[in-house]
Amino acid sequence: MRTLHTIAELRSALAQPRREGRRVGLVPTMGAFHDGHRSLMRRARHECELVVVSLFVNPSQFNEPADLDAYPRDEPHDAAIAAEESVDLLFAPTAAEMYPHGFATTVHVSGVASGLEGALRGPGHFDGVATIVTKLLSLINPQVAYFGQKDAQQVAVVRQLTRDLNLPQEIVACPTVREADGLAMSSRNRLLDASDRRRALALQRALAAAQQAAASGERRAAEILAAAAAVLDQASLEPDYLALVDPPTFEAVSAVSGPALALVAARVGPVRLIDNQLLA
Ligand code: AMP
């Protein structure tokens, strides 16, 4: 595996595989790799001839400077994990490389990006995501890009922007990888102390309660969400949001009549955690 820090190095490493028409897969990440990231790398390795992982803690998508500062960074460790997963190229640019002096373009997605994470973290969050993903897709031009369903709204935003901008890449959403006790893996989990780590389990349990309510025939969103809210309440967690939406548009649904996505976000100790579950 080669680690590349500049766009020039990346372009030259991609030139030959492109000429040979090799199938390129991209996994965009912010590092601090866990099994969720590994699952994306494995899927890409399985389906593509050249696997590129980008490692970039994108400052423009952080709304809180403290969150950006606290975000775990360990490039040598991440490089070792990517090598274990047989990644070909690790692209780890600096912020100045991606946003040089004079950078003036923002990709803004409305609609699907405006609620939930977009509303809570401010419009800058998904603007930052959409802009960096557009840059990476344009630079690397993979046939396929892999994202985690854990960040369901991010997947919907990326699908929207590729459709609207006629980008040719296929966007693949991979299932959420969880710890043995059900907590969705996240780079932020390592910032939880033992007591917050236990309370964090309520997010997944709340979604399971919503799922159970829907499975037992409840169609009203308010009732399904009330079942989830009760679980959070028991853990003394105040959700930032608890929502039931139509998966492609992220519009709130008032009654379940087809696939609906239940989403939760809550601050647990020092971090904000998110999770989601498709209700059948
Ligand atoms: P991040 O480094 O947090 O930006 O995540 C990079 C990619 O990994 C994103 O597409 C995430 O949705 C995905 N990801 C993060 N956590 C998980 C998880 N627990 N399971 C599956 N994918 C994940």
Side-chain angles (χ1 to χ4, degrees):
M1 190 191 74
R2 288 174 62 199
T3 299
L4 313 167
H5 292 105
T6 66
I7 289 169
E9 287 171 316
L10 178 69
R11 286 199 200 282
S12 93
L14 287 169
Q16 177 143 5
R18 277 235 183 84
R19 272 197 301 276
E20 292 169 353
R22 293 172 72 188
R23 183 174 170 82
V24 178
L26 168 66
V27 181
T29 80
M30 299 202 301
F33 293 156
H34 50 66
D35 285 358
H37 298 105
R38 282 185 191 262
S39 75
L40 270 52
M41 295 176 205
R42 274 180 210 163
R43 176 88 179 258
R45 182 72 282 164
H46 187 67
E47 297 181 352
C48 301
E49 293 162 292
L50 187 91
V51 176
V52 184
V53 171
S54 62
L55 192 181
F56 181 58
V57 183
N58 178 29
S60 73
Q61 73 187 68
F62 283 79
N63 52 325
E64 289 177 26
D67 189 28
L68 175 61
D69 287 346
Y71 204 84
R73 292 169 175 84
D74 189 350
E75 187 186 313
H77 185 247
D78 286 340
I81 290 179
E84 264 175 45
E85 298 300 337
S86 307
V87 166
D88 298 298
L89 302 175
L90 182 68
F91 176 51
T94 60
E97 185 74 4
M98 295 310 274
Y99 301 113
H101 184 65
F103 188 91
T105 300
T106 298
V107 178
H108 175 77
V109 176
S110 50
V112 69
S114 57
L116 305 180
E117 289 298 294
L120 247 131
R121 302 178 68 167
H125 171 63
F126 281 125
D127 284 0
V129 170
T131 303
I132 196 69
V133 169
T134 304
K135 278 173 71 75
L136 291 168
L137 292 177
S138 144
L139 262 171
I140 295 159
N141 192 18
Q143 275 85 345
V144 200
Y146 297 85
F147 293 85
Q149 181 61 25
K150 151 113 186 330
D151 297 284
Q153 194 174 7
Q154 173 170 279
V155 174
V157 168
V158 171
R159 286 196 198 283
Q160 180 81 46
L161 83 85
T162 54
R163 206 165 44 240
D164 291 350
L165 300 180
N166 306 104
L167 303 182
Q169 285 86 16
E170 180 190 348
I171 303 301
V172 170
C174 302
T176 301
V177 176
R178 297 178 180 281
E179 304 285 356
D181 59 9
L183 180 67
M185 288 191 183
S186 163
S187 306
R188 293 185 172 87
N189 290 353
R190 66 179 70 175
L191 304 172
L192 297 167
D193 68 19
S195 137
D196 286 332
R197 174 68 183 71
R198 276 193 299 278
R199 291 170 69 227
L201 281 177
L203 270 72
Q204 196 269 336
R205 283 208 308 268
L207 295 171
Q211 163 84 304
Q212 209 175 351
S216 61
E218 181 58 65
R219 300 288 90 179
R220 294 165 297 176
E223 294 302 317
I224 292 172
L225 293 174
V231 175
L232 294 176
D233 195 47
Q234 272 161 26
S236 308
L237 289 181
E238 174 80 34
D240 281 348
Y241 58 77
L242 191 53
L244 203 55
V245 305
D246 175 45
T249 63
F250 265 71
E251 279 168 16
V253 297
S254 55
V256 176
S257 58
L261 192 64
L263 301 115
V264 63
R267 186 166 281 282
V268 185
V271 293
R272 261 186 93 244
L273 298 177
I274 60 173
D275 201 351
N276 68 85
Q277 161 94 49
L278 194 64
L279 307 187

